[in-house]
Amino acid sequence: MVGRTVRGLVPVLLVAGALTGCSSGSGDGTGADGRPGGGAATGSAAGRTAAKGGAVGGAGSGCELRVTFDVAKHWKAKAVAVDTDSEFAALARQGPVSMVCEIDAKPAGHIGFLRVWQGDGKGSTPRQALEGFVKADENASKITYARTTVGKLSVVEAGYTVHSKIMDESRPARAFAVATPDGPVVVHLGGLDSQEHRGMLPAYELAKRSVRLG
């Protein structure tokens, strides 16, 4: 499968801080709206829904994954090819998972990505996988976790704040994880800044509420 290389990702990652989306620390709670990180941060995105533009995960969808979920209209999925011998290979690894897919929001008018990460720990729970992902980043704080069920699938979500040294500001981030027979899957939403993150939340929520195995 032809995909975007890690080397090609580096300029975008440095600007958006996408690979610094999780951290050390271990809160456990929800905001006032029952979501990780609190409802106030959603701002104008609260109550909005994203129009479905297709699905990703199956053959011919841009990324073949262990899960399938709906993608917002105009968002474009592309597989990430990791050259393990590259000096940049570490950028595509965070905790127990490696980046395998990015779903670009630019065609929909936003600067940011939904990124999908997969791991080999077949015995790990969604919470264990997500905690490992989050704790692998030293720039995050105010981490909260929540668990929900989508169909018969257990989904664990983290909401947290990431400080970007490049942008010299803190911004919100979210990620959810599920377990599959082949190992955990983490779906992460970052964004260039807080405003972009809020604008992309409906697409993230669409992915979370539609995730299923296969």
Side-chain angles (χ1 to χ4, degrees):
M1 180 185 302
V2 177
R4 189 186 300 269
T5 64
V6 173
R7 182 179 293 272
L9 279 170
V10 171
V12 176
L13 297 177
L14 290 177
V15 173
L19 288 183
T20 60
C22 308
S23 93
S24 58
S26 57
D28 189 358
T30 59
D33 65 348
R35 295 178 178 177
T42 62
S44 60
R48 289 171 46 193
T49 59
K52 177 182 173 180
V56 67
S61 66
C63 301
E64 294 184 22
L65 306 169
R66 298 168 185 166
V67 297
T68 301
F69 56 83
D70 295 340
V71 176
K73 191 174 181 179
H74 302 309
W75 288 54
K76 300 298 181 183
K78 182 175 290 188
V80 174
V82 179
D83 180 357
T84 56
D85 294 327
S86 168
E87 61 184 300
F88 299 105
L91 292 173
R93 182 80 184 180
Q94 186 158 317
V97 291
S98 296
M99 191 196 308
V100 294
C101 179
E102 63 176 13
I103 306 167
D104 191 355
K106 286 195 294 295
H110 296 288
I111 302 175
F113 296 87
L114 273 175
R115 286 193 165 97
V116 185
W117 307 67
Q118 295 184 161
D120 299 325
K122 296 181 182 181
S124 65
T125 66
R127 174 65 181 250
Q128 289 171 332
L130 191 55
E131 283 186 342
F133 179 81
V134 170
K135 290 177 180 179
D137 187 335
E138 62 184 15
N139 296 314
S141 61
K142 302 180 181 178
I143 306 160
T144 60
Y145 293 93
R147 185 175 66 85
T148 188
T149 301
V150 177
K152 296 182 178 180
L153 197 60
S154 179
V155 179
V156 177
E157 184 180 18
Y160 50 96
T161 299
V162 179
H163 182 72
S164 170
K165 295 179 181 178
I166 294 175
M167 303 298 293
D168 192 27
E169 68 174 14
S170 293
R171 57 177 174 77
R174 293 200 186 192
F176 69 83
V178 299
T180 80
D182 296 314
V185 176
V186 174
V187 179
H188 170 262
L189 175 68
L192 179 64
D193 53 29
S194 297
Q195 181 177 348
E196 290 294 339
H197 179 85
R198 286 194 297 270
M200 295 185 295
L201 271 177
Y204 167 85
E205 294 290 347
L206 174 65
K208 185 180 67 173
R209 68 174 178 265
S210 63
V211 66
R212 60 265 191 198
L213 294 180

